Amino acid sequence: MKTSITFLRAALLGAALIASGCYYPPPAYPVPVAAPASFDRSFSAAAGAMRDQGLAIGTEDRAAGMIIGSAGSATVSASVRRQADGSVRVQFDATGARDPALIDRISRSYDARMGR
């Protein structure tokens, strides 16, 4: 009888130790949560990306969601639009650009400003 009680106590102690080893405390730092980009943040990032690449901004109409900049003979426009699902769509277009990589550089600069 004493042996079975000792065995039972040992089994309960072992089970308690195993169960206590499975607890993970919450992180001590905030965990970033992906949130949809806001219109204002996207618009500012698009204008900043164009400036980063040396374009002079001639038109910056937040209400219409349009930014137009130029560098030499190149004209680049950015269109910032709210979509039905609440997301924001940003599109860059260039005319007269002699540098085929200009739009790519602006896009990378935009992504960097958006933290992507």
Side-chain angles (χ1 to χ4, degrees), residues 42-69:
S42 297
F43 189 89
S44 296
M50 292 171 71
R51 287 185 185 95
D52 290 347
Q53 298 308 315
L55 278 82
I57 305 297
T59 301
E60 193 168 340
D61 186 348
R62 191 173 296 265
M66 287 299 299
I67 306 163
I68 302 172

Side-chain angles (χ1 to χ4, degrees), residues 37-114:
S38 73
F39 178 87
D40 290 333
R41 182 170 177 238
S42 297
F43 189 89
S44 296
M50 292 171 71
R51 287 185 185 95
D52 290 347
Q53 298 308 315
L55 278 82
I57 305 297
T59 301
E60 193 168 340
D61 186 348
R62 191 173 296 265
M66 287 299 299
I67 306 163
I68 302 172
S70 60
S73 63
T75 300
V76 176
S77 64
S79 171
V80 183
R81 301 278 184 250
R82 287 185 180 96
Q83 302 210 55
D85 65 356
S87 64
V88 178
R89 181 172 189 256
V90 178
Q91 180 175 335
F92 296 101
D93 294 300
T95 57
R98 293 192 176 144
D99 180 1
L102 178 61
I103 291 293
D104 184 52
R105 288 196 315 273
I106 293 171
S107 180
R108 279 186 277 139
S109 188
Y110 171 79
D111 286 343
R113 285 176 167 269
M114 292 297 289

